[in-house]
mmCIF file with all atom_site columns, all heavy atoms in Angstrom:
data_model
loop_
_atom_site.group_PDB
_atom_site.id
_atom_site.type_symbol
_atom_site.label_atom_id
_atom_site.label_alt_id
_atom_site.label_comp_id
_atom_site.label_asym_id
_atom_site.label_entity_id
_atom_site.label_seq_id
_atom_site.pdbx_PDB_ins_code
_atom_site.Cartn_x
_atom_site.Cartn_y
_atom_site.Cartn_z
_atom_site.occupancy
_atom_site.B_iso_or_equiv
_atom_site.pdbx_formal_charge
_atom_site.auth_seq_id
_atom_site.auth_comp_id
_atom_site.auth_asym_id
_atom_site.auth_atom_id
_atom_site.pdbx_PDB_model_num
ATOM 1   N N   . LEU A 1 1  ? 7.118   -0.632  -16.388 1.00 0.00 ? 121 LEU A N   1
ATOM 2   C CA  . LEU A 1 1  ? 6.223   -1.699  -16.151 1.00 0.00 ? 121 LEU A CA  1
ATOM 3   C C   . LEU A 1 1  ? 5.241   -1.317  -14.998 1.00 0.00 ? 121 LEU A C   1
ATOM 4   O O   . LEU A 1 1  ? 5.713   -0.768  -14.042 1.00 0.00 ? 121 LEU A O   1
ATOM 5   C CB  . LEU A 1 1  ? 6.871   -3.025  -15.893 1.00 0.00 ? 121 LEU A CB  1
ATOM 6   C CG  . LEU A 1 1  ? 6.095   -4.310  -15.649 1.00 0.00 ? 121 LEU A CG  1
ATOM 7   C CD1 . LEU A 1 1  ? 5.563   -4.684  -16.914 1.00 0.00 ? 121 LEU A CD1 1
ATOM 8   C CD2 . LEU A 1 1  ? 6.906   -5.317  -14.933 1.00 0.00 ? 121 LEU A CD2 1
ATOM 9   N N   . TYR A 1 2  ? 3.982   -1.804  -15.190 1.00 0.00 ? 122 TYR A N   1
ATOM 10  C CA  . TYR A 1 2  ? 3.014   -1.482  -14.165 1.00 0.00 ? 122 TYR A CA  1
ATOM 11  C C   . TYR A 1 2  ? 2.253   -2.658  -13.626 1.00 0.00 ? 122 TYR A C   1
ATOM 12  O O   . TYR A 1 2  ? 2.051   -3.642  -14.512 1.00 0.00 ? 122 TYR A O   1
ATOM 13  C CB  . TYR A 1 2  ? 1.925   -0.395  -14.595 1.00 0.00 ? 122 TYR A CB  1
ATOM 14  C CG  . TYR A 1 2  ? 2.536   0.883   -15.202 1.00 0.00 ? 122 TYR A CG  1
ATOM 15  C CD1 . TYR A 1 2  ? 2.753   1.106   -16.535 1.00 0.00 ? 122 TYR A CD1 1
ATOM 16  C CD2 . TYR A 1 2  ? 2.866   1.833   -14.262 1.00 0.00 ? 122 TYR A CD2 1
ATOM 17  C CE1 . TYR A 1 2  ? 3.349   2.268   -17.004 1.00 0.00 ? 122 TYR A CE1 1
ATOM 18  C CE2 . TYR A 1 2  ? 3.428   3.037   -14.744 1.00 0.00 ? 122 TYR A CE2 1
ATOM 19  C CZ  . TYR A 1 2  ? 3.571   3.264   -16.076 1.00 0.00 ? 122 TYR A CZ  1
ATOM 20  O OH  . TYR A 1 2  ? 4.215   4.501   -16.524 1.00 0.00 ? 122 TYR A OH  1
ATOM 21  N N   . LEU A 1 3  ? 1.703   -2.631  -12.496 1.00 0.00 ? 123 LEU A N   1
ATOM 22  C CA  . LEU A 1 3  ? 0.870   -3.692  -12.069 1.00 0.00 ? 123 LEU A CA  1
ATOM 23  C C   . LEU A 1 3  ? -0.302  -2.914  -11.214 1.00 0.00 ? 123 LEU A C   1
ATOM 24  O O   . LEU A 1 3  ? -0.098  -2.351  -10.143 1.00 0.00 ? 123 LEU A O   1
ATOM 25  C CB  . LEU A 1 3  ? 1.518   -4.631  -11.103 1.00 0.00 ? 123 LEU A CB  1
ATOM 26  C CG  . LEU A 1 3  ? 0.664   -5.803  -10.543 1.00 0.00 ? 123 LEU A CG  1
ATOM 27  C CD1 . LEU A 1 3  ? 0.290   -6.686  -11.705 1.00 0.00 ? 123 LEU A CD1 1
ATOM 28  C CD2 . LEU A 1 3  ? 1.333   -6.624  -9.421  1.00 0.00 ? 123 LEU A CD2 1
ATOM 29  N N   . GLN A 1 4  ? -1.440  -2.882  -11.877 1.00 0.00 ? 124 GLN A N   1
ATOM 30  C CA  . GLN A 1 4  ? -2.549  -2.303  -11.231 1.00 0.00 ? 124 GLN A CA  1
ATOM 31  C C   . GLN A 1 4  ? -3.281  -3.393  -10.343 1.00 0.00 ? 124 GLN A C   1
ATOM 32  O O   . GLN A 1 4  ? -3.736  -4.402  -10.885 1.00 0.00 ? 124 GLN A O   1
ATOM 33  C CB  . GLN A 1 4  ? -3.658  -1.815  -12.210 1.00 0.00 ? 124 GLN A CB  1
ATOM 34  C CG  . GLN A 1 4  ? -4.916  -1.162  -11.662 1.00 0.00 ? 124 GLN A CG  1
ATOM 35  C CD  . GLN A 1 4  ? -4.716  0.006   -10.939 1.00 0.00 ? 124 GLN A CD  1
ATOM 36  O OE1 . GLN A 1 4  ? -3.949  0.892   -11.325 1.00 0.00 ? 124 GLN A OE1 1
ATOM 37  N NE2 . GLN A 1 4  ? -5.205  0.134   -9.723  1.00 0.00 ? 124 GLN A NE2 1
ATOM 38  N N   . MET A 1 5  ? -3.410  -3.187  -9.057  1.00 0.00 ? 125 MET A N   1
ATOM 39  C CA  . MET A 1 5  ? -4.025  -4.212  -8.118  1.00 0.00 ? 125 MET A CA  1
ATOM 40  C C   . MET A 1 5  ? -5.278  -3.619  -7.546  1.00 0.00 ? 125 MET A C   1
ATOM 41  O O   . MET A 1 5  ? -5.259  -2.646  -6.844  1.00 0.00 ? 125 MET A O   1
ATOM 42  C CB  . MET A 1 5  ? -2.883  -4.471  -7.069  1.00 0.00 ? 125 MET A CB  1
ATOM 43  C CG  . MET A 1 5  ? -1.578  -4.907  -7.601  1.00 0.00 ? 125 MET A CG  1
ATOM 44  S SD  . MET A 1 5  ? -0.444  -5.506  -6.298  1.00 0.00 ? 125 MET A SD  1
ATOM 45  C CE  . MET A 1 5  ? -0.246  -3.888  -5.364  1.00 0.00 ? 125 MET A CE  1
ATOM 46  N N   . ASN A 1 6  ? -6.361  -4.391  -7.824  1.00 0.00 ? 126 ASN A N   1
ATOM 47  C CA  . ASN A 1 6  ? -7.659  -3.922  -7.345  1.00 0.00 ? 126 ASN A CA  1
ATOM 48  C C   . ASN A 1 6  ? -8.185  -5.016  -6.425  1.00 0.00 ? 126 ASN A C   1
ATOM 49  O O   . ASN A 1 6  ? -7.864  -6.107  -6.447  1.00 0.00 ? 126 ASN A O   1
ATOM 50  C CB  . ASN A 1 6  ? -8.600  -3.675  -8.506  1.00 0.00 ? 126 ASN A CB  1
ATOM 51  C CG  . ASN A 1 6  ? -8.214  -2.508  -9.438  1.00 0.00 ? 126 ASN A CG  1
ATOM 52  O OD1 . ASN A 1 6  ? -7.623  -1.544  -8.882  1.00 0.00 ? 126 ASN A OD1 1
ATOM 53  N ND2 . ASN A 1 6  ? -8.591  -2.613  -10.682 1.00 0.00 ? 126 ASN A ND2 1
ATOM 54  N N   . ASN A 1 7  ? -9.248  -4.537  -5.610  1.00 0.00 ? 127 ASN A N   1
ATOM 55  C CA  . ASN A 1 7  ? -9.816  -5.494  -4.705  1.00 0.00 ? 127 ASN A CA  1
ATOM 56  C C   . ASN A 1 7  ? -8.804  -6.304  -3.900  1.00 0.00 ? 127 ASN A C   1
ATOM 57  O O   . ASN A 1 7  ? -8.862  -7.644  -3.760  1.00 0.00 ? 127 ASN A O   1
ATOM 58  C CB  . ASN A 1 7  ? -10.810 -6.396  -5.420  1.00 0.00 ? 127 ASN A CB  1
ATOM 59  C CG  . ASN A 1 7  ? -11.590 -7.312  -4.507  1.00 0.00 ? 127 ASN A CG  1
ATOM 60  O OD1 . ASN A 1 7  ? -11.925 -6.869  -3.400  1.00 0.00 ? 127 ASN A OD1 1
ATOM 61  N ND2 . ASN A 1 7  ? -12.107 -8.472  -4.961  1.00 0.00 ? 127 ASN A ND2 1
ATOM 62  N N   . LEU A 1 8  ? -7.917  -5.643  -3.266  1.00 0.00 ? 128 LEU A N   1
ATOM 63  C CA  . LEU A 1 8  ? -6.772  -6.305  -2.626  1.00 0.00 ? 128 LEU A CA  1
ATOM 64  C C   . LEU A 1 8  ? -7.307  -7.109  -1.346  1.00 0.00 ? 128 LEU A C   1
ATOM 65  O O   . LEU A 1 8  ? -8.221  -6.621  -0.681  1.00 0.00 ? 128 LEU A O   1
ATOM 66  C CB  . LEU A 1 8  ? -5.770  -5.263  -2.201  1.00 0.00 ? 128 LEU A CB  1
ATOM 67  C CG  . LEU A 1 8  ? -4.807  -4.844  -3.353  1.00 0.00 ? 128 LEU A CG  1
ATOM 68  C CD1 . LEU A 1 8  ? -4.289  -3.435  -3.019  1.00 0.00 ? 128 LEU A CD1 1
ATOM 69  C CD2 . LEU A 1 8  ? -3.827  -5.765  -3.690  1.00 0.00 ? 128 LEU A CD2 1
ATOM 70  N N   . LYS A 1 9  ? -6.602  -8.165  -1.122  1.00 0.00 ? 129 LYS A N   1
ATOM 71  C CA  . LYS A 1 9  ? -7.020  -9.077  -0.084  1.00 0.00 ? 129 LYS A CA  1
ATOM 72  C C   . LYS A 1 9  ? -5.760  -9.165  0.894   1.00 0.00 ? 129 LYS A C   1
ATOM 73  O O   . LYS A 1 9  ? -4.639  -9.007  0.510   1.00 0.00 ? 129 LYS A O   1
ATOM 74  C CB  . LYS A 1 9  ? -7.337  -10.440 -0.579  1.00 0.00 ? 129 LYS A CB  1
ATOM 75  C CG  . LYS A 1 9  ? -8.440  -10.437 -1.577  1.00 0.00 ? 129 LYS A CG  1
ATOM 76  C CD  . LYS A 1 9  ? -8.718  -11.927 -2.113  1.00 0.00 ? 129 LYS A CD  1
ATOM 77  C CE  . LYS A 1 9  ? -9.895  -11.867 -3.152  1.00 0.00 ? 129 LYS A CE  1
ATOM 78  N NZ  . LYS A 1 9  ? -10.123 -13.122 -3.589  1.00 0.00 ? 129 LYS A NZ  1
ATOM 79  N N   . PRO A 1 10 ? -5.995  -9.601  2.162   1.00 0.00 ? 130 PRO A N   1
ATOM 80  C CA  . PRO A 1 10 ? -4.852  -9.728  3.099   1.00 0.00 ? 130 PRO A CA  1
ATOM 81  C C   . PRO A 1 10 ? -3.752  -10.762 2.596   1.00 0.00 ? 130 PRO A C   1
ATOM 82  O O   . PRO A 1 10 ? -2.599  -10.562 2.777   1.00 0.00 ? 130 PRO A O   1
ATOM 83  C CB  . PRO A 1 10 ? -5.545  -10.376 4.368   1.00 0.00 ? 130 PRO A CB  1
ATOM 84  C CG  . PRO A 1 10 ? -6.884  -9.709  4.364   1.00 0.00 ? 130 PRO A CG  1
ATOM 85  C CD  . PRO A 1 10 ? -7.264  -9.821  2.927   1.00 0.00 ? 130 PRO A CD  1
ATOM 86  N N   . GLU A 1 11 ? -4.193  -11.734 1.909   1.00 0.00 ? 131 GLU A N   1
ATOM 87  C CA  . GLU A 1 11 ? -3.304  -12.678 1.315   1.00 0.00 ? 131 GLU A CA  1
ATOM 88  C C   . GLU A 1 11 ? -2.357  -12.051 0.185   1.00 0.00 ? 131 GLU A C   1
ATOM 89  O O   . GLU A 1 11 ? -1.323  -12.778 -0.272  1.00 0.00 ? 131 GLU A O   1
ATOM 90  C CB  . GLU A 1 11 ? -3.926  -13.934 0.806   1.00 0.00 ? 131 GLU A CB  1
ATOM 91  C CG  . GLU A 1 11 ? -5.057  -13.711 -0.082  1.00 0.00 ? 131 GLU A CG  1
ATOM 92  C CD  . GLU A 1 11 ? -6.367  -13.778 0.533   1.00 0.00 ? 131 GLU A CD  1
ATOM 93  O OE1 . GLU A 1 11 ? -6.549  -13.131 1.646   1.00 0.00 ? 131 GLU A OE1 1
ATOM 94  O OE2 . GLU A 1 11 ? -7.374  -14.373 -0.042  1.00 0.00 ? 131 GLU A OE2 1
ATOM 95  N N   . ASP A 1 12 ? -2.671  -10.934 -0.268  1.00 0.00 ? 132 ASP A N   1
ATOM 96  C CA  . ASP A 1 12 ? -1.737  -10.315 -1.163  1.00 0.00 ? 132 ASP A CA  1
ATOM 97  C C   . ASP A 1 12 ? -0.627  -9.600  -0.539  1.00 0.00 ? 132 ASP A C   1
ATOM 98  O O   . ASP A 1 12 ? 0.260   -9.053  -1.205  1.00 0.00 ? 132 ASP A O   1
ATOM 99  C CB  . ASP A 1 12 ? -2.542  -9.162  -1.983  1.00 0.00 ? 132 ASP A CB  1
ATOM 100 C CG  . ASP A 1 12 ? -3.605  -9.817  -2.864  1.00 0.00 ? 132 ASP A CG  1
ATOM 101 O OD1 . ASP A 1 12 ? -3.354  -10.820 -3.443  1.00 0.00 ? 132 ASP A OD1 1
ATOM 102 O OD2 . ASP A 1 12 ? -4.725  -9.155  -2.916  1.00 0.00 ? 132 ASP A OD2 1
ATOM 103 N N   . THR A 1 13 ? -0.575  -9.454  0.728   1.00 0.00 ? 133 THR A N   1
ATOM 104 C CA  . THR A 1 13 ? 0.526   -8.864  1.519   1.00 0.00 ? 133 THR A CA  1
ATOM 105 C C   . THR A 1 13 ? 1.854   -9.562  1.194   1.00 0.00 ? 133 THR A C   1
ATOM 106 O O   . THR A 1 13 ? 1.987   -10.845 1.398   1.00 0.00 ? 133 THR A O   1
ATOM 107 C CB  . THR A 1 13 ? 0.303   -8.969  2.985   1.00 0.00 ? 133 THR A CB  1
ATOM 108 O OG1 . THR A 1 13 ? -0.835  -8.083  3.276   1.00 0.00 ? 133 THR A OG1 1
ATOM 109 C CG2 . THR A 1 13 ? 1.487   -8.380  3.791   1.00 0.00 ? 133 THR A CG2 1
ATOM 110 N N   . ALA A 1 14 ? 2.817   -8.911  0.717   1.00 0.00 ? 134 ALA A N   1
ATOM 111 C CA  . ALA A 1 14 ? 4.060   -9.491  0.318   1.00 0.00 ? 134 ALA A CA  1
ATOM 112 C C   . ALA A 1 14 ? 5.051   -8.263  -0.116  1.00 0.00 ? 134 ALA A C   1
ATOM 113 O O   . ALA A 1 14 ? 4.657   -7.221  -0.381  1.00 0.00 ? 134 ALA A O   1
ATOM 114 C CB  . ALA A 1 14 ? 3.880   -10.443 -0.819  1.00 0.00 ? 134 ALA A CB  1
ATOM 115 N N   . MET A 1 15 ? 6.261   -8.707  -0.341  1.00 0.00 ? 135 MET A N   1
ATOM 116 C CA  . MET A 1 15 ? 7.276   -7.807  -1.041  1.00 0.00 ? 135 MET A CA  1
ATOM 117 C C   . MET A 1 15 ? 7.113   -8.135  -2.557  1.00 0.00 ? 135 MET A C   1
ATOM 118 O O   . MET A 1 15 ? 7.058   -9.350  -2.994  1.00 0.00 ? 135 MET A O   1
ATOM 119 C CB  . MET A 1 15 ? 8.662   -8.128  -0.536  1.00 0.00 ? 135 MET A CB  1
ATOM 120 C CG  . MET A 1 15 ? 9.678   -7.126  -1.267  1.00 0.00 ? 135 MET A CG  1
ATOM 121 S SD  . MET A 1 15 ? 9.643   -5.576  -0.578  1.00 0.00 ? 135 MET A SD  1
ATOM 122 C CE  . MET A 1 15 ? 10.410  -5.773  0.987   1.00 0.00 ? 135 MET A CE  1
ATOM 123 N N   . TYR A 1 16 ? 6.854   -7.105  -3.285  1.00 0.00 ? 136 TYR A N   1
ATOM 124 C CA  . TYR A 1 16 ? 6.584   -7.284  -4.732  1.00 0.00 ? 136 TYR A CA  1
ATOM 125 C C   . TYR A 1 16 ? 7.935   -6.884  -5.594  1.00 0.00 ? 136 TYR A C   1
ATOM 126 O O   . TYR A 1 16 ? 8.438   -5.774  -5.299  1.00 0.00 ? 136 TYR A O   1
ATOM 127 C CB  . TYR A 1 16 ? 5.436   -6.429  -5.182  1.00 0.00 ? 136 TYR A CB  1
ATOM 128 C CG  . TYR A 1 16 ? 4.160   -7.078  -4.838  1.00 0.00 ? 136 TYR A CG  1
ATOM 129 C CD1 . TYR A 1 16 ? 3.683   -7.180  -3.548  1.00 0.00 ? 136 TYR A CD1 1
ATOM 130 C CD2 . TYR A 1 16 ? 3.315   -7.692  -5.860  1.00 0.00 ? 136 TYR A CD2 1
ATOM 131 C CE1 . TYR A 1 16 ? 2.440   -7.675  -3.236  1.00 0.00 ? 136 TYR A CE1 1
ATOM 132 C CE2 . TYR A 1 16 ? 2.194   -8.349  -5.516  1.00 0.00 ? 136 TYR A CE2 1
ATOM 133 C CZ  . TYR A 1 16 ? 1.753   -8.305  -4.209  1.00 0.00 ? 136 TYR A CZ  1
ATOM 134 O OH  . TYR A 1 16 ? 0.499   -8.989  -3.896  1.00 0.00 ? 136 TYR A OH  1
ATOM 135 N N   . TYR A 1 17 ? 8.290   -7.772  -6.544  1.00 0.00 ? 137 TYR A N   1
ATOM 136 C CA  . TYR A 1 17 ? 9.512   -7.460  -7.375  1.00 0.00 ? 137 TYR A CA  1
ATOM 137 C C   . TYR A 1 17 ? 9.143   -7.504  -8.808  1.00 0.00 ? 137 TYR A C   1
ATOM 138 O O   . TYR A 1 17 ? 8.273   -8.295  -9.208  1.00 0.00 ? 137 TYR A O   1
ATOM 139 C CB  . TYR A 1 17 ? 10.515  -8.668  -7.060  1.00 0.00 ? 137 TYR A CB  1
ATOM 140 C CG  . TYR A 1 17 ? 10.937  -8.745  -5.677  1.00 0.00 ? 137 TYR A CG  1
ATOM 141 C CD1 . TYR A 1 17 ? 10.203  -9.633  -4.763  1.00 0.00 ? 137 TYR A CD1 1
ATOM 142 C CD2 . TYR A 1 17 ? 12.032  -8.163  -5.164  1.00 0.00 ? 137 TYR A CD2 1
ATOM 143 C CE1 . TYR A 1 17 ? 10.605  -9.902  -3.444  1.00 0.00 ? 137 TYR A CE1 1
ATOM 144 C CE2 . TYR A 1 17 ? 12.535  -8.307  -3.868  1.00 0.00 ? 137 TYR A CE2 1
ATOM 145 C CZ  . TYR A 1 17 ? 11.754  -9.219  -3.042  1.00 0.00 ? 137 TYR A CZ  1
ATOM 146 O OH  . TYR A 1 17 ? 12.164  -9.355  -1.731  1.00 0.00 ? 137 TYR A OH  1
ATOM 147 N N   . CYS A 1 18 ? 9.824   -6.656  -9.593  1.00 0.00 ? 138 CYS A N   1
ATOM 148 C CA  . CYS A 1 18 ? 9.692   -6.808  -11.027 1.00 0.00 ? 138 CYS A CA  1
ATOM 149 C C   . CYS A 1 18 ? 10.992  -7.410  -11.487 1.00 0.00 ? 138 CYS A C   1
ATOM 150 O O   . CYS A 1 18 ? 12.066  -7.420  -10.929 1.00 0.00 ? 138 CYS A O   1
ATOM 151 C CB  . CYS A 1 18 ? 9.440   -5.466  -11.686 1.00 0.00 ? 138 CYS A CB  1
ATOM 152 S SG  . CYS A 1 18 ? 10.778  -4.314  -11.705 1.00 0.00 ? 138 CYS A SG  1
ATOM 153 N N   . ALA A 1 19 ? 10.811  -8.130  -12.624 1.00 0.00 ? 139 ALA A N   1
ATOM 154 C CA  . ALA A 1 19 ? 12.082  -8.816  -13.244 1.00 0.00 ? 139 ALA A CA  1
ATOM 155 C C   . ALA A 1 19 ? 11.911  -8.857  -14.723 1.00 0.00 ? 139 ALA A C   1
ATOM 156 O O   . ALA A 1 19 ? 10.835  -8.773  -15.285 1.00 0.00 ? 139 ALA A O   1
ATOM 157 C CB  . ALA A 1 19 ? 12.230  -10.169 -12.582 1.00 0.00 ? 139 ALA A CB  1
ATOM 158 N N   . ALA A 1 20 ? 13.085  -9.035  -15.425 1.00 0.00 ? 140 ALA A N   1
ATOM 159 C CA  . ALA A 1 20 ? 13.151  -9.043  -16.856 1.00 0.00 ? 140 ALA A CA  1
ATOM 160 C C   . ALA A 1 20 ? 13.810  -10.347 -17.352 1.00 0.00 ? 140 ALA A C   1
ATOM 161 O O   . ALA A 1 20 ? 14.838  -10.662 -16.828 1.00 0.00 ? 140 ALA A O   1
ATOM 162 C CB  . ALA A 1 20 ? 13.842  -7.852  -17.381 1.00 0.00 ? 140 ALA A CB  1
ATOM 163 N N   . ASP A 1 21 ? 13.133  -10.974 -18.294 1.00 0.00 ? 141 ASP A N   1
ATOM 164 C CA  . ASP A 1 21 ? 13.732  -12.107 -18.995 1.00 0.00 ? 141 ASP A CA  1
ATOM 165 C C   . ASP A 1 21 ? 14.195  -11.627 -20.342 1.00 0.00 ? 141 ASP A C   1
ATOM 166 O O   . ASP A 1 21 ? 13.353  -11.313 -21.284 1.00 0.00 ? 141 ASP A O   1
ATOM 167 C CB  . ASP A 1 21 ? 12.804  -13.140 -19.179 1.00 0.00 ? 141 ASP A CB  1
ATOM 168 C CG  . ASP A 1 21 ? 13.212  -14.316 -20.108 1.00 0.00 ? 141 ASP A CG  1
ATOM 169 O OD1 . ASP A 1 21 ? 14.373  -14.437 -20.381 1.00 0.00 ? 141 ASP A OD1 1
ATOM 170 O OD2 . ASP A 1 21 ? 12.380  -15.195 -20.380 1.00 0.00 ? 141 ASP A OD2 1
ATOM 171 N N   . ILE A 1 22 ? 15.491  -11.456 -20.587 1.00 0.00 ? 142 ILE A N   1
ATOM 172 C CA  . ILE A 1 22 ? 15.997  -10.786 -21.853 1.00 0.00 ? 142 ILE A CA  1
ATOM 173 C C   . ILE A 1 22 ? 15.871  -11.745 -22.988 1.00 0.00 ? 142 ILE A C   1
ATOM 174 O O   . ILE A 1 22 ? 15.876  -11.336 -24.154 1.00 0.00 ? 142 ILE A O   1
ATOM 175 C CB  . ILE A 1 22 ? 17.407  -10.264 -21.754 1.00 0.00 ? 142 ILE A CB  1
ATOM 176 C CG1 . ILE A 1 22 ? 18.397  -11.495 -21.460 1.00 0.00 ? 142 ILE A CG1 1
ATOM 177 C CG2 . ILE A 1 22 ? 17.415  -9.244  -20.737 1.00 0.00 ? 142 ILE A CG2 1
ATOM 178 C CD1 . ILE A 1 22 ? 19.887  -11.044 -21.476 1.00 0.00 ? 142 ILE A CD1 1
ATOM 179 N N   . VAL A 1 23 ? 15.718  -13.062 -22.770 1.00 0.00 ? 143 VAL A N   1
ATOM 180 C CA  . VAL A 1 23 ? 15.488  -14.035 -23.851 1.00 0.00 ? 143 VAL A CA  1
ATOM 181 C C   . VAL A 1 23 ? 14.134  -13.909 -24.441 1.00 0.00 ? 143 VAL A C   1
ATOM 182 O O   . VAL A 1 23 ? 13.842  -14.090 -25.601 1.00 0.00 ? 143 VAL A O   1
ATOM 183 C CB  . VAL A 1 23 ? 15.694  -15.441 -23.284 1.00 0.00 ? 143 VAL A CB  1
ATOM 184 C CG1 . VAL A 1 23 ? 15.359  -16.510 -24.370 1.00 0.00 ? 143 VAL A CG1 1
ATOM 185 C CG2 . VAL A 1 23 ? 17.071  -15.724 -22.874 1.00 0.00 ? 143 VAL A CG2 1
ATOM 186 N N   . GLY A 1 24 ? 13.212  -13.310 -23.646 1.00 0.00 ? 144 GLY A N   1
ATOM 187 C CA  . GLY A 1 24 ? 11.811  -13.015 -24.152 1.00 0.00 ? 144 GLY A CA  1
ATOM 188 C C   . GLY A 1 24 ? 10.978  -14.298 -24.261 1.00 0.00 ? 144 GLY A C   1
ATOM 189 O O   . GLY A 1 24 ? 10.182  -14.436 -25.243 1.00 0.00 ? 144 GLY A O   1
ATOM 190 N N   . ARG A 1 25 ? 10.979  -15.105 -23.215 1.00 0.00 ? 145 ARG A N   1
ATOM 191 C CA  . ARG A 1 25 ? 9.998   -16.337 -23.229 1.00 0.00 ? 145 ARG A CA  1
ATOM 192 C C   . ARG A 1 25 ? 8.661   -15.866 -22.972 1.00 0.00 ? 145 ARG A C   1
ATOM 193 O O   . ARG A 1 25 ? 8.338   -14.691 -22.721 1.00 0.00 ? 145 ARG A O   1
ATOM 194 C CB  . ARG A 1 25 ? 10.530  -17.264 -22.185 1.00 0.00 ? 145 ARG A CB  1
ATOM 195 C CG  . ARG A 1 25 ? 11.889  -17.890 -22.456 1.00 0.00 ? 145 ARG A CG  1
ATOM 196 C CD  . ARG A 1 25 ? 12.428  -18.767 -21.342 1.00 0.00 ? 145 ARG A CD  1
ATOM 197 N NE  . ARG A 1 25 ? 12.650  -18.049 -20.104 1.00 0.00 ? 145 ARG A NE  1
ATOM 198 C CZ  . ARG A 1 25 ? 12.948  -18.536 -18.950 1.00 0.00 ? 145 ARG A CZ  1
ATOM 199 N NH1 . ARG A 1 25 ? 12.956  -19.889 -18.835 1.00 0.00 ? 145 ARG A NH1 1
ATOM 200 N NH2 . ARG A 1 25 ? 13.255  -17.778 -17.973 1.00 0.00 ? 145 ARG A NH2 1
ATOM 201 N N   . THR A 1 26 ? 7.734   -16.727 -23.156 1.00 0.00 ? 146 THR A N   1
ATOM 202 C CA  . THR A 1 26 ? 6.314   -16.459 -22.999 1.00 0.00 ? 146 THR A CA  1
ATOM 203 C C   . THR A 1 26 ? 5.947   -16.094 -21.592 1.00 0.00 ? 146 THR A C   1
ATOM 204 O O   . THR A 1 26 ? 6.548   -16.497 -20.571 1.00 0.00 ? 146 THR A O   1
ATOM 205 C CB  . THR A 1 26 ? 5.497   -17.581 -23.466 1.00 0.00 ? 146 THR A CB  1
ATOM 206 O OG1 . THR A 1 26 ? 5.787   -18.805 -22.761 1.00 0.00 ? 146 THR A OG1 1
ATOM 207 C CG2 . THR A 1 26 ? 5.717   -17.929 -24.977 1.00 0.00 ? 146 THR A CG2 1
ATOM 208 N N   . SER A 1 27 ? 4.915   -15.274 -21.578 1.00 0.00 ? 147 SER A N   1
ATOM 209 C CA  . SER A 1 27 ? 4.355   -14.826 -20.300 1.00 0.00 ? 147 SER A CA  1
ATOM 210 C C   . SER A 1 27 ? 3.990   -15.980 -19.264 1.00 0.00 ? 147 SER A C   1
ATOM 211 O O   . SER A 1 27 ? 4.144   -15.907 -18.101 1.00 0.00 ? 147 SER A O   1
ATOM 212 C CB  . SER A 1 27 ? 3.339   -13.690 -20.457 1.00 0.00 ? 147 SER A CB  1
ATOM 213 O OG  . SER A 1 27 ? 2.269   -14.319 -21.142 1.00 0.00 ? 147 SER A OG  1
#
């Protein structure tokens, strides 16, 4: 899985996590 992040802002500062929903609910 990828996350392309452009035009980053100071408020984007954070720990970023990926996660999986095996039930497959909507995005």
